[in-house]
Amino acid sequence: MAERMVGKQAPRFEMDAVLPSKEFGKVSLEENMKNDKWTVLFFYPMDFTFVCPTEITAMSDRYDEFEDLDAEVVGVSTDTIHTHLAWINTSREDNGLEQLRYPLAADTNHAVSREYGVLIEEEGVALRGLFIIDPDGELKYQTVFHNDVGRDVDETLRVLQALQTGGLCPANWKPGQKTLTV
């Protein structure tokens, strides 16, 4: 039986990544926490696929909005940093990413995907999982769904803003609307 993660401390991670500068580096939850940042951690199945570039570039195109909300975005697959870099160096017209404003991390040993409960063991790839972690390391939100459907960046931003209100947000709440009073 799967264990509940929301409301608990998020599994810590440190992974090799391709940074926005196209250099190799590291990303870690601890670093984001130390910098008092929210973390939007999302998993996708693999590089050079069809749905993945649409959501990865959509997140990158809206990166300023995440930055304005003190959030660091980290994309993760089980591919290598070398495959990530090749994909980033491929034009969008050729199903590539071209340029990203956030890092793509390589979970080549599958440890992080497994810890977050998104690894398809028999395939060695991750499901589309998205996790929002507050600056104290508490996992506040998770969604995991089938690999055939891409994520909605508007919804990710809406949930992040709702969590940051610290209040109770009703169904269909939008930024700027009142939260519920108890």
Side-chain angles (χ1 to χ4, degrees):
M1 188 70 179
E3 226 180 277
R4 173 182 66 85
M5 293 176 61
V6 172
K8 295 182 176 182
Q9 285 293 297
R12 300 304 193 257
F13 62 81
E14 179 177 273
M15 293 176 277
D16 291 330
V18 179
L19 305 176
S21 64
K22 297 186 179 181
E23 295 175 0
F24 296 139
K26 300 262 186 202
V27 292
S28 76
L29 180 56
E30 292 292 335
E31 186 69 21
N32 291 350
M33 291 169 59
K34 185 175 81 178
N35 292 324
D36 202 33
K37 299 285 187 177
W38 289 74
T39 301
V40 176
L41 178 69
F42 74 92
F43 294 84
Y44 64 95
M46 67 180 83
D47 296 347
F48 292 100
T49 55
F50 301 101
V51 176
C52 297
T54 65
E55 61 182 1
I56 292 169
T57 57
M59 295 279 267
S60 185
D61 291 346
R62 307 272 304 271
Y63 183 75
D64 288 342
E65 295 172 67
F66 288 100
E67 196 171 49
D68 289 345
L69 295 169
D70 291 323
E72 294 292 337
V73 176
V74 178
V76 183
S77 83
T78 57
D79 292 306
T80 69
I81 53 175
H82 303 288
T83 305
H84 288 344
L85 183 59
W87 199 25
I88 290 167
N89 284 330
T90 303
S91 73
R92 288 187 182 189
E93 293 79 34
D94 292 326
N95 205 35
L97 304 177
E98 204 164 298
Q99 179 67 47
L100 289 183
R101 309 235 1 248
Y102 59 85
L104 278 189
D107 183 26
T108 55
N109 66 4
H110 306 169
V112 180
S113 300
R114 190 174 289 114
E115 279 286 310
Y116 278 83
V118 296
L119 183 65
I120 303 171
E121 292 280 351
E122 59 276 10
E123 296 177 28
V125 300
L127 289 165
R128 292 189 197 286
L130 184 129
F131 302 84
I132 298 177
I133 304 161
D134 76 9
D136 295 323
E138 182 182 338
L139 183 63
K140 295 289 201 173
Y141 176 83
Q142 81 175 57
T143 181
V144 180
F145 46 98
H146 196 278
N147 283 335
D148 289 348
V149 180
R151 283 165 270 247
D152 185 324
V153 179
D154 287 331
E155 178 62 4
T156 302
L157 285 162
R158 185 192 78 83
V159 170
L160 178 60
Q161 290 169 306
L163 291 168
Q164 290 180 350
T165 68
L168 302 173
C169 298
N172 302 317
W173 177 90
K174 300 279 190 261
Q177 294 178 338
K178 291 182 180 182
T179 56
L180 299 175
T181 56
V182 202

